[in-house]
Amino acid sequence: MRVACCSPITSGRHARCFARLADLAIALLGRILAFSLWWPWLMAPLGFFAIAWATRRFFRGAEGSGIPQTIFALRTDSGEAGLRLLKVHVVLGRIFLAAAFNTPLAGVVFAIEELSKSFEERASGTALTTVILAGVVAIALVGNYTYFGQPVVTAAVPAFAPITWCIAITSGISGGMFSRVTLASVSRLTGCLGRLRRRFPALFAGLCGLAVAATGSLSGGLTYGSGYRQARSVLEAHVHLPWLYAPARALAILLSYLSGIPAGILAPSLSAGAGIGQSTADFFGYAPVPFAILGMCGYLAGVTQAPLTALVIVTEMTSQHAMVLPLMITAAVATAVSRLLSPPLYQTLARHYAE
C-alpha cells in the first residue's frame, strides 16, 4: 500500500503550531484556575461531551492516541477501514513526536519499534527521512531546545544500586497495571456504564470529564493538562510533588482515553513517571532529579513496552546522555516486568479494530 505523506516542512510547522496552541491552552487554564477552582467542574464535562460528539460526527478514527489505529491501518488485511484510519493517523504521530518534542531520533526509533511491523515499513527510508526533516524544521523554527529544559544532575547515578532497580520494578508494575486496566476497560466495560458508552458515547465522555475534574480537584489541580509543567518543575525547580500525584495522573490518563476523545498517553506518562521516581528518591533519601528521570523512562517503557523508544525519548528530552546506562537498565527491567502483567497495550488495542 502506498500512501502520500505530507511534506516534512509543513508537518514540522504544524507540529510547532500545535505545541504552541497547547501551551497557550495550559496558560489559559492556569488563569482560569487562579480565578476559581470550580470552573473545571463545568468545563471538563461540557468539553469532553462536545469533543466526543465532534470526533464521532466528523473525525471518526481520531479518538484515543491514534497509535493503535495506525498499527491496525498498516496491516495488509485492514481493508477500507484501515485506509480511512491511515489517512487520519499514519506518520503524523511520528512527525509530531519528532517536531513538537524536538526528538527526531526518538521519532525514528518509535517508528521502527512500535509502528513498523512489516518489512516494507521497516525498510521505508521515506518515512524515516520525513520524521528527521520534520524535527529539523522544528529546530529551525524555535531553536535547538530541550523539551524538559536542562536538569542539573550533580552526581553520578548508580546503575546497579537498589534504588535504580526499585524504580525500574515499580515503574514496570505501575505501567503494566495501567495497560491491563486500560485494556480491560476498553474491551470489557459492563453494566450500565458499558450500555451508556455504547448508546450515548458523548454523554459517557461528559461523565469521564466530570471524573477528570474530580481527580484534578482532589490532587490540587496537579493532574490538569499534559503534565509537562509538573515534570519540568521537578527536573528544573526541584519542586516536590505529593506521592498521590503519580496514581492521580494515571487515573486522569485512563479516564481521558476511555472517554473516546483524542487523548495521548506518551506525554502524561512521562509526567506520572517523574512522580514515581521522585517519590522513590524521597523514600531512599536521594536528590530527586536523576531518579525522576529514571522514573519517566521506566513508566513510559512499562506502559508502551517499547524500551528503546522510552530510552531515546527521555535522553533527548532531558539531554542526560551520561545517564544512558541506568536508563537502559530501567527501561529493560520495567518492560520485562510489564510483560508479566499485561499484553502490549498498543498492539492489543489495534486488534480491537479488526473485530
Side-chain angles (χ1 to χ4, degrees), residues 23-37 39-40 43 229:
D23 291 339
L24 291 175
I26 293 174
L28 177 61
L29 176 62
R31 290 179 177 271
I32 292 173
L33 291 175
F35 177 75
S36 174
L37 295 177
W39 273 106
M43 295 170 56
R229 290 191 173 184

Side-chain angles (χ1 to χ4, degrees), residues 323-340:
M323 290 181 58
V324 168
L325 181 57
L327 286 171
M328 288 175 60
I329 293 173
T330 302
V333 172
T335 300
V337 172
S338 176
R339 286 174 178 168
L340 296 175

Side-chain angles (χ1 to χ4, degrees), residues 176-198 204 254 258 341-343 348-349 351-352 355:
M177 290 305 300
F178 173 84
S179 297
R180 190 176 184 88
V181 172
T182 300
L183 292 173
S185 301
V186 168
S187 60
R188 296 193 296 273
L189 190 63
T190 58
C192 31
L193 286 179
R195 290 191 296 271
L196 181 64
R197 186 171 66 176
R198 290 190 300 270
F204 177 80
L254 175 64
L258 290 181
L341 302 174
S342 171
T348 306
L349 287 173
R351 286 196 285 270
H352 289 295
E355 298 174 350

